[in-house]
mmCIF file of all heavy atoms in Angstrom:
data_model
loop_
_atom_site.group_PDB
_atom_site.id
_atom_site.type_symbol
_atom_site.label_atom_id
_atom_site.label_comp_id
_atom_site.label_asym_id
_atom_site.label_seq_id
_atom_site.Cartn_x
_atom_site.Cartn_y
_atom_site.Cartn_z
ATOM 1 N N GLN A 119 25.257 -18.392 10.222
ATOM 2 C CA GLN A 119 24.064 -18.642 9.416
ATOM 3 C C GLN A 119 24.405 -19.450 8.164
ATOM 4 O O GLN A 119 25.499 -19.309 7.605
ATOM 5 C CB GLN A 119 23.409 -17.321 9.008
ATOM 6 C CG GLN A 119 23.170 -16.357 10.167
ATOM 7 C CD GLN A 119 22.328 -16.953 11.265
ATOM 8 O OE1 GLN A 119 21.224 -17.442 11.043
ATOM 9 N NE2 GLN A 119 22.855 -16.941 12.480
ATOM 10 N N ASN A 120 23.465 -20.279 7.739
ATOM 11 C CA ASN A 120 23.662 -21.072 6.515
ATOM 12 C C ASN A 120 23.268 -20.304 5.263
ATOM 13 O O ASN A 120 23.873 -20.470 4.199
ATOM 14 C CB ASN A 120 22.858 -22.373 6.595
ATOM 15 C CG ASN A 120 23.389 -23.311 7.659
ATOM 16 O OD1 ASN A 120 24.598 -23.451 7.813
ATOM 17 N ND2 ASN A 120 22.496 -23.935 8.404
ATOM 18 N N THR A 121 22.223 -19.493 5.384
ATOM 19 C CA THR A 121 21.757 -18.706 4.243
ATOM 20 C C THR A 121 21.295 -17.342 4.741
ATOM 21 O O THR A 121 21.092 -17.135 5.947
ATOM 22 C CB THR A 121 20.564 -19.368 3.511
ATOM 23 O OG1 THR A 121 19.441 -19.443 4.408
ATOM 24 C CG2 THR A 121 20.929 -20.752 3.016
ATOM 25 N N LEU A 122 21.101 -16.422 3.810
ATOM 26 C CA LEU A 122 20.474 -15.145 4.129
ATOM 27 C C LEU A 122 18.973 -15.355 4.288
ATOM 28 O O LEU A 122 18.427 -16.377 3.862
ATOM 29 C CB LEU A 122 20.732 -14.142 3.005
ATOM 30 C CG LEU A 122 22.175 -13.658 2.837
ATOM 31 C CD1 LEU A 122 22.379 -13.069 1.454
ATOM 32 C CD2 LEU A 122 22.526 -12.636 3.911
ATOM 33 N N SER A 123 18.287 -14.386 4.873
ATOM 34 C CA SER A 123 16.834 -14.497 4.974
ATOM 35 C C SER A 123 16.184 -14.260 3.612
ATOM 36 O O SER A 123 15.095 -14.746 3.340
ATOM 37 C CB SER A 123 16.287 -13.482 5.989
ATOM 38 O OG SER A 123 16.338 -12.171 5.462
ATOM 39 N N GLY A 124 16.866 -13.485 2.766
ATOM 40 C CA GLY A 124 16.317 -13.175 1.449
ATOM 41 C C GLY A 124 15.566 -11.869 1.400
ATOM 42 O O GLY A 124 15.181 -11.397 0.336
ATOM 43 N N MET A 125 15.318 -11.271 2.565
ATOM 44 C CA MET A 125 14.632 -9.983 2.617
ATOM 45 C C MET A 125 15.496 -8.988 3.368
ATOM 46 O O MET A 125 16.068 -9.311 4.398
ATOM 47 C CB MET A 125 13.277 -10.103 3.315
ATOM 48 C CG MET A 125 12.264 -10.923 2.553
ATOM 49 S SD MET A 125 10.602 -10.803 3.232
ATOM 50 C CE MET A 125 10.804 -11.674 4.777
ATOM 51 N N THR A 126 15.586 -7.768 2.853
ATOM 52 C CA THR A 126 16.324 -6.729 3.556
ATOM 53 C C THR A 126 15.356 -5.975 4.457
ATOM 54 O O THR A 126 14.143 -6.113 4.345
ATOM 55 C CB THR A 126 17.001 -5.772 2.572
ATOM 56 O OG1 THR A 126 16.041 -5.334 1.612
ATOM 57 C CG2 THR A 126 18.140 -6.470 1.861
ATOM 58 N N SER A 127 15.876 -5.170 5.365
ATOM 59 C CA SER A 127 15.060 -4.532 6.392
ATOM 60 C C SER A 127 14.159 -3.445 5.824
ATOM 61 O O SER A 127 14.468 -2.813 4.818
ATOM 62 C CB SER A 127 15.966 -3.927 7.466
ATOM 63 O OG SER A 127 16.813 -2.944 6.898
ATOM 64 N N LEU A 128 13.027 -3.235 6.505
ATOM 65 C CA LEU A 128 12.150 -2.124 6.179
ATOM 66 C C LEU A 128 12.840 -0.846 6.625
ATOM 67 O O LEU A 128 13.261 -0.734 7.768
ATOM 68 C CB LEU A 128 10.811 -2.282 6.907
ATOM 69 C CG LEU A 128 9.736 -1.241 6.625
ATOM 70 C CD1 LEU A 128 9.318 -1.278 5.162
ATOM 71 C CD2 LEU A 128 8.531 -1.461 7.530
ATOM 72 N N LYS A 129 12.969 0.117 5.723
ATOM 73 C CA LYS A 129 13.791 1.284 6.009
ATOM 74 C C LYS A 129 12.956 2.532 6.250
ATOM 75 O O LYS A 129 12.044 2.835 5.503
ATOM 76 C CB LYS A 129 14.782 1.510 4.857
ATOM 77 C CG LYS A 129 15.814 0.390 4.768
ATOM 78 C CD LYS A 129 16.689 0.539 3.548
ATOM 79 C CE LYS A 129 17.787 -0.517 3.534
ATOM 80 N NZ LYS A 129 17.268 -1.894 3.561
ATOM 81 N N ASN A 130 13.304 3.229 7.318
ATOM 82 C CA ASN A 130 12.725 4.520 7.634
ATOM 83 C C ASN A 130 13.582 5.592 6.977
ATOM 84 O O ASN A 130 14.806 5.452 6.903
ATOM 85 C CB ASN A 130 12.718 4.685 9.161
ATOM 86 C CG ASN A 130 12.139 6.014 9.608
ATOM 87 O OD1 ASN A 130 12.745 7.058 9.423
ATOM 88 N ND2 ASN A 130 10.976 5.959 10.209
ATOM 89 N N GLN A 131 12.960 6.664 6.509
ATOM 90 C CA GLN A 131 13.702 7.715 5.811
ATOM 91 C C GLN A 131 14.845 8.272 6.658
ATOM 92 O O GLN A 131 15.914 8.612 6.145
ATOM 93 C CB GLN A 131 12.758 8.847 5.401
ATOM 94 C CG GLN A 131 11.814 8.471 4.259
ATOM 95 C CD GLN A 131 10.861 9.587 3.907
ATOM 96 O OE1 GLN A 131 10.874 10.644 4.540
ATOM 97 N NE2 GLN A 131 10.014 9.365 2.923
ATOM 98 N N ASP A 132 14.617 8.376 7.971
ATOM 99 C CA ASP A 132 15.617 8.979 8.845
ATOM 100 C C ASP A 132 16.843 8.093 9.037
ATOM 101 O O ASP A 132 17.921 8.584 9.360
ATOM 102 C CB ASP A 132 15.012 9.296 10.213
ATOM 103 C CG ASP A 132 13.927 10.361 10.126
ATOM 104 O OD1 ASP A 132 13.989 11.179 9.190
ATOM 105 O OD2 ASP A 132 13.032 10.365 10.996
ATOM 106 N N THR A 133 16.670 6.780 8.877
ATOM 107 C CA THR A 133 17.781 5.858 9.127
ATOM 108 C C THR A 133 18.127 5.020 7.901
ATOM 109 O O THR A 133 18.864 4.041 8.006
ATOM 110 C CB THR A 133 17.441 4.912 10.295
ATOM 111 O OG1 THR A 133 16.276 4.136 9.966
ATOM 112 C CG2 THR A 133 17.188 5.695 11.575
ATOM 113 N N ALA A 134 17.606 5.394 6.738
ATOM 114 C CA ALA A 134 17.771 4.568 5.534
ATOM 115 C C ALA A 134 19.238 4.334 5.194
ATOM 116 O O ALA A 134 19.630 3.232 4.804
ATOM 117 C CB ALA A 134 17.050 5.214 4.351
ATOM 118 N N LEU A 135 20.075 5.358 5.328
ATOM 119 C CA LEU A 135 21.494 5.220 4.998
ATOM 120 C C LEU A 135 22.155 4.181 5.889
ATOM 121 O O LEU A 135 22.934 3.346 5.419
ATOM 122 C CB LEU A 135 22.205 6.571 5.146
ATOM 123 C CG LEU A 135 23.727 6.565 4.968
ATOM 124 C CD1 LEU A 135 24.110 6.074 3.575
ATOM 125 C CD2 LEU A 135 24.308 7.952 5.232
ATOM 126 N N TYR A 136 21.832 4.195 7.175
ATOM 127 C CA TYR A 136 22.441 3.261 8.118
ATOM 128 C C TYR A 136 21.901 1.846 7.918
ATOM 129 O O TYR A 136 22.656 0.866 7.933
ATOM 130 C CB TYR A 136 22.206 3.725 9.558
ATOM 131 C CG TYR A 136 22.432 5.201 9.761
ATOM 132 C CD1 TYR A 136 21.471 6.005 10.364
ATOM 133 C CD2 TYR A 136 23.609 5.812 9.332
ATOM 134 C CE1 TYR A 136 21.672 7.368 10.532
ATOM 135 C CE2 TYR A 136 23.817 7.177 9.490
ATOM 136 C CZ TYR A 136 22.835 7.948 10.093
ATOM 137 O OH TYR A 136 23.040 9.295 10.245
ATOM 138 N N ASP A 137 20.591 1.732 7.743
ATOM 139 C CA ASP A 137 19.988 0.417 7.493
ATOM 140 C C ASP A 137 20.565 -0.198 6.223
ATOM 141 O O ASP A 137 20.857 -1.395 6.177
ATOM 142 C CB ASP A 137 18.463 0.540 7.357
ATOM 143 C CG ASP A 137 17.764 0.692 8.699
ATOM 144 O OD1 ASP A 137 18.113 -0.041 9.638
ATOM 145 O OD2 ASP A 137 16.866 1.546 8.803
ATOM 146 N N HIS A 138 20.691 0.616 5.186
ATOM 147 C CA HIS A 138 21.251 0.140 3.919
ATOM 148 C C HIS A 138 22.678 -0.361 4.116
ATOM 149 O O HIS A 138 23.046 -1.432 3.621
ATOM 150 C CB HIS A 138 21.225 1.272 2.891
ATOM 151 C CG HIS A 138 21.985 0.986 1.631
ATOM 152 N ND1 HIS A 138 21.607 0.012 0.726
ATOM 153 C CD2 HIS A 138 23.123 1.546 1.130
ATOM 154 C CE1 HIS A 138 22.475 -0.011 -0.282
ATOM 155 N NE2 HIS A 138 23.398 0.909 -0.055
ATOM 156 N N SER A 139 23.475 0.388 4.846
ATOM 157 C CA SER A 139 24.869 0.001 5.077
ATOM 158 C C SER A 139 24.952 -1.317 5.840
ATOM 159 O O SER A 139 25.795 -2.173 5.532
ATOM 160 C CB SER A 139 25.592 1.105 5.852
ATOM 161 O OG SER A 139 25.578 2.319 5.131
ATOM 162 N N ILE A 140 24.075 -1.502 6.818
ATOM 163 C CA ILE A 140 24.060 -2.740 7.602
ATOM 164 C C ILE A 140 23.647 -3.917 6.726
ATOM 165 O O ILE A 140 24.270 -4.984 6.755
ATOM 166 C CB ILE A 140 23.109 -2.597 8.808
ATOM 167 C CG1 ILE A 140 23.662 -1.562 9.794
ATOM 168 C CG2 ILE A 140 22.917 -3.948 9.504
ATOM 169 C CD1 ILE A 140 22.651 -1.101 10.822
ATOM 170 N N ASP A 141 22.610 -3.738 5.921
ATOM 171 C CA ASP A 141 22.132 -4.831 5.072
ATOM 172 C C ASP A 141 23.171 -5.206 4.020
ATOM 173 O O ASP A 141 23.381 -6.394 3.744
ATOM 174 C CB ASP A 141 20.815 -4.439 4.393
ATOM 175 C CG ASP A 141 19.636 -4.452 5.359
ATOM 176 O OD1 ASP A 141 19.678 -5.234 6.321
ATOM 177 O OD2 ASP A 141 18.689 -3.681 5.157
ATOM 178 N N VAL A 142 23.817 -4.220 3.420
ATOM 179 C CA VAL A 142 24.867 -4.501 2.441
ATOM 180 C C VAL A 142 25.998 -5.273 3.113
ATOM 181 O O VAL A 142 26.552 -6.219 2.542
ATOM 182 C CB VAL A 142 25.391 -3.187 1.816
ATOM 183 C CG1 VAL A 142 26.673 -3.434 1.016
ATOM 184 C CG2 VAL A 142 24.327 -2.578 0.901
ATOM 185 N N CYS A 143 26.340 -4.895 4.331
ATOM 186 C CA CYS A 143 27.395 -5.580 5.072
ATOM 187 C C CYS A 143 27.039 -7.046 5.306
ATOM 188 O O CYS A 143 27.859 -7.939 5.067
ATOM 189 C CB CYS A 143 27.622 -4.866 6.407
ATOM 190 S SG CYS A 143 28.879 -5.639 7.451
ATOM 191 N N VAL A 144 25.817 -7.316 5.750
ATOM 192 C CA VAL A 144 25.392 -8.692 6.043
ATOM 193 C C VAL A 144 25.402 -9.549 4.771
ATOM 194 O O VAL A 144 25.905 -10.678 4.768
ATOM 195 C CB VAL A 144 23.984 -8.692 6.678
ATOM 196 C CG1 VAL A 144 23.434 -10.111 6.770
ATOM 197 C CG2 VAL A 144 24.032 -8.058 8.066
ATOM 198 N N ILE A 145 24.846 -9.014 3.694
ATOM 199 C CA ILE A 145 24.813 -9.757 2.431
ATOM 200 C C ILE A 145 26.230 -10.058 1.957
ATOM 201 O O ILE A 145 26.547 -11.181 1.537
ATOM 202 C CB ILE A 145 24.057 -8.950 1.349
ATOM 203 C CG1 ILE A 145 22.588 -8.778 1.741
ATOM 204 C CG2 ILE A 145 24.157 -9.649 -0.015
ATOM 205 C CD1 ILE A 145 21.832 -7.774 0.878
ATOM 206 N N ALA A 146 27.101 -9.059 2.035
ATOM 207 C CA ALA A 146 28.484 -9.231 1.575
ATOM 208 C C ALA A 146 29.219 -10.282 2.403
ATOM 209 O O ALA A 146 30.000 -11.077 1.857
ATOM 210 C CB ALA A 146 29.218 -7.895 1.633
ATOM 211 N N ILE A 147 28.989 -10.297 3.711
ATOM 212 C CA ILE A 147 29.645 -11.293 4.571
ATOM 213 C C ILE A 147 29.249 -12.711 4.148
ATOM 214 O O ILE A 147 30.097 -13.609 4.067
ATOM 215 C CB ILE A 147 29.289 -11.065 6.051
ATOM 216 C CG1 ILE A 147 29.943 -9.778 6.570
ATOM 217 C CG2 ILE A 147 29.752 -12.243 6.905
ATOM 218 C CD1 ILE A 147 29.470 -9.371 7.967
ATOM 219 N N MET A 148 27.964 -12.905 3.854
ATOM 220 C CA MET A 148 27.511 -14.238 3.462
ATOM 221 C C MET A 148 28.093 -14.656 2.110
ATOM 222 O O MET A 148 28.447 -15.822 1.910
ATOM 223 C CB MET A 148 25.991 -14.280 3.407
ATOM 224 C CG MET A 148 25.327 -14.353 4.775
ATOM 225 S SD MET A 148 25.782 -15.853 5.703
ATOM 226 C CE MET A 148 25.048 -17.115 4.668
ATOM 227 N N ILE A 149 28.205 -13.724 1.184
ATOM 228 C CA ILE A 149 28.830 -14.037 -0.109
ATOM 229 C C ILE A 149 30.291 -14.407 0.115
ATOM 230 O O ILE A 149 30.797 -15.391 -0.434
ATOM 231 C CB ILE A 149 28.734 -12.836 -1.067
ATOM 232 C CG1 ILE A 149 27.276 -12.527 -1.410
ATOM 233 C CG2 ILE A 149 29.520 -13.125 -2.359
ATOM 234 C CD1 ILE A 149 27.101 -11.250 -2.234
ATOM 235 N N ALA A 150 30.986 -13.614 0.928
ATOM 236 C CA ALA A 150 32.405 -13.856 1.200
ATOM 237 C C ALA A 150 32.618 -15.200 1.896
ATOM 238 O O ALA A 150 33.599 -15.896 1.627
ATOM 239 C CB ALA A 150 32.966 -12.725 2.059
ATOM 240 N N LYS A 151 31.694 -15.544 2.794
ATOM 241 C CA LYS A 151 31.777 -16.856 3.454
ATOM 242 C C LYS A 151 31.671 -17.971 2.422
ATOM 243 O O LYS A 151 32.420 -18.947 2.459
ATOM 244 C CB LYS A 151 30.666 -16.985 4.488
ATOM 245 C CG LYS A 151 30.606 -18.350 5.178
ATOM 246 C CD LYS A 151 29.369 -18.479 6.047
ATOM 247 C CE LYS A 151 29.260 -19.874 6.639
ATOM 248 N NZ LYS A 151 27.996 -20.062 7.405
ATOM 249 N N GLU A 152 30.742 -17.832 1.485
ATOM 250 C CA GLU A 152 30.557 -18.838 0.440
ATOM 251 C C GLU A 152 31.798 -18.936 -0.438
ATOM 252 O O GLU A 152 32.149 -20.025 -0.921
ATOM 253 C CB GLU A 152 29.339 -18.471 -0.415
ATOM 254 C CG GLU A 152 29.059 -19.382 -1.589
ATOM 255 C CD GLU A 152 28.617 -20.783 -1.185
ATOM 256 O OE1 GLU A 152 28.236 -20.976 -0.004
ATOM 257 O OE2 GLU A 152 28.638 -21.689 -2.039
ATOM 258 N N LEU A 153 32.489 -17.826 -0.638
ATOM 259 C CA LEU A 153 33.698 -17.810 -1.466
ATOM 260 C C LEU A 153 34.960 -18.142 -0.673
ATOM 261 O O LEU A 153 36.054 -18.140 -1.235
ATOM 262 C CB LEU A 153 33.848 -16.435 -2.128
ATOM 263 C CG LEU A 153 32.774 -16.056 -3.148
ATOM 264 C CD1 LEU A 153 32.976 -14.631 -3.644
ATOM 265 C CD2 LEU A 153 32.757 -17.031 -4.321
ATOM 266 N N ARG A 154 34.805 -18.387 0.627
ATOM 267 C CA ARG A 154 35.914 -18.782 1.510
ATOM 268 C C ARG A 154 37.019 -17.730 1.573
ATOM 269 O O ARG A 154 38.213 -18.047 1.471
ATOM 270 C CB ARG A 154 36.487 -20.134 1.073
ATOM 271 C CG ARG A 154 35.471 -21.268 1.092
ATOM 272 C CD ARG A 154 36.091 -22.563 0.625
ATOM 273 N NE ARG A 154 35.112 -23.627 0.556
ATOM 274 C CZ ARG A 154 34.739 -24.401 1.578
ATOM 275 N NH1 ARG A 154 35.277 -24.210 2.766
ATOM 276 N NH2 ARG A 154 33.839 -25.356 1.413
ATOM 277 N N LEU A 155 36.635 -16.480 1.721
ATOM 278 C CA LEU A 155 37.624 -15.431 1.915
ATOM 279 C C LEU A 155 38.302 -15.613 3.267
ATOM 280 O O LEU A 155 37.711 -16.158 4.198
ATOM 281 C CB LEU A 155 36.982 -14.050 1.838
ATOM 282 C CG LEU A 155 37.043 -13.347 0.466
ATOM 283 C CD1 LEU A 155 36.236 -14.125 -0.553
ATOM 284 C CD2 LEU A 155 36.523 -11.918 0.576
ATOM 285 N N SER A 156 39.519 -15.129 3.385
ATOM 286 C CA SER A 156 40.255 -15.222 4.640
ATOM 287 C C SER A 156 39.602 -14.330 5.691
ATOM 288 O O SER A 156 38.827 -13.417 5.372
ATOM 289 C CB SER A 156 41.706 -14.791 4.436
ATOM 290 O OG SER A 156 41.774 -13.404 4.163
ATOM 291 N N SER A 157 39.922 -14.573 6.963
ATOM 292 C CA SER A 157 39.347 -13.773 8.048
ATOM 293 C C SER A 157 39.731 -12.306 7.908
ATOM 294 O O SER A 157 38.922 -11.407 8.194
ATOM 295 C CB SER A 157 39.799 -14.318 9.403
ATOM 296 O OG SER A 157 41.217 -14.319 9.498
ATOM 297 N N GLY A 158 40.956 -12.042 7.449
ATOM 298 C CA GLY A 158 41.383 -10.667 7.247
ATOM 299 C C GLY A 158 40.595 -9.969 6.159
ATOM 300 O O GLY A 158 40.182 -8.813 6.305
ATOM 301 N N GLN A 159 40.375 -10.661 5.050
ATOM 302 C CA GLN A 159 39.582 -10.089 3.959
ATOM 303 C C GLN A 159 38.128 -9.879 4.393
ATOM 304 O O GLN A 159 37.505 -8.879 4.034
ATOM 305 C CB GLN A 159 39.638 -11.013 2.741
ATOM 306 C CG GLN A 159 40.977 -11.035 2.026
ATOM 307 C CD GLN A 159 41.003 -12.073 0.912
ATOM 308 O OE1 GLN A 159 40.600 -13.224 1.098
ATOM 309 N NE2 GLN A 159 41.476 -11.667 -0.244
ATOM 310 N N LEU A 160 37.598 -10.846 5.151
ATOM 311 C CA LEU A 160 36.226 -10.720 5.652
ATOM 312 C C LEU A 160 36.058 -9.468 6.500
ATOM 313 O O LEU A 160 35.075 -8.735 6.361
ATOM 314 C CB LEU A 160 35.860 -11.956 6.479
ATOM 315 C CG LEU A 160 35.166 -13.105 5.754
ATOM 316 C CD1 LEU A 160 35.128 -14.339 6.645
ATOM 317 C CD2 LEU A 160 33.752 -12.702 5.367
ATOM 318 N N LEU A 161 37.006 -9.237 7.387
ATOM 319 C CA LEU A 161 36.920 -8.088 8.284
ATOM 320 C C LEU A 161 36.976 -6.784 7.496
ATOM 321 O O LEU A 161 36.192 -5.861 7.750
ATOM 322 C CB LEU A 161 38.065 -8.142 9.300
ATOM 323 C CG LEU A 161 38.097 -7.018 10.347
ATOM 324 C CD1 LEU A 161 36.812 -7.024 11.171
ATOM 325 C CD2 LEU A 161 39.312 -7.150 11.247
ATOM 326 N N GLN A 162 37.886 -6.702 6.537
ATOM 327 C CA GLN A 162 38.006 -5.472 5.741
ATOM 328 C C GLN A 162 36.785 -5.267 4.847
ATOM 329 O O GLN A 162 36.319 -4.137 4.658
ATOM 330 C CB GLN A 162 39.287 -5.508 4.910
ATOM 331 C CG GLN A 162 40.544 -5.423 5.767
ATOM 332 C CD GLN A 162 41.789 -5.139 4.936
ATOM 333 O OE1 GLN A 162 41.894 -4.114 4.276
ATOM 334 N NE2 GLN A 162 42.737 -6.060 4.962
ATOM 335 N N LEU A 163 36.256 -6.352 4.296
ATOM 336 C CA LEU A 163 35.046 -6.258 3.487
ATOM 337 C C LEU A 163 33.883 -5.745 4.326
ATOM 338 O O LEU A 163 33.142 -4.846 3.902
ATOM 339 C CB LEU A 163 34.697 -7.630 2.894
ATOM 340 C CG LEU A 163 33.327 -7.750 2.219
ATOM 341 C CD1 LEU A 163 33.258 -6.869 0.981
ATOM 342 C CD2 LEU A 163 33.037 -9.207 1.849
ATOM 343 N N ALA A 164 33.696 -6.326 5.524
ATOM 344 C CA ALA A 164 32.588 -5.922 6.390
ATOM 345 C C ALA A 164 32.709 -4.450 6.779
ATOM 346 O O ALA A 164 31.727 -3.698 6.739
ATOM 347 C CB ALA A 164 32.564 -6.807 7.637
#
Side-chain angles (χ1 to χ4, degrees):
Q119 309 303 306
N120 293 319
T121 63
L122 291 161
S123 73
M125 293 191 291
T126 50
S127 61
L128 183 63
K129 293 174 175 58
N130 180 289
Q131 288 178 358
D132 295 333
T133 61
L135 174 60
Y136 316 128
D137 282 316
H138 170 67
S139 300
I140 293 166
D141 286 331
V142 168
C143 178
V144 170
I145 295 169
I147 290 171
M148 284 299 295
I149 296 174
K151 176 188 175 185
E152 177 68 16
L153 294 175
R154 301 179 184 275
L155 265 65
S156 68
S157 58
Q159 289 174 313
L160 267 169
L161 182 60
Q162 292 193 61
L163 170 65

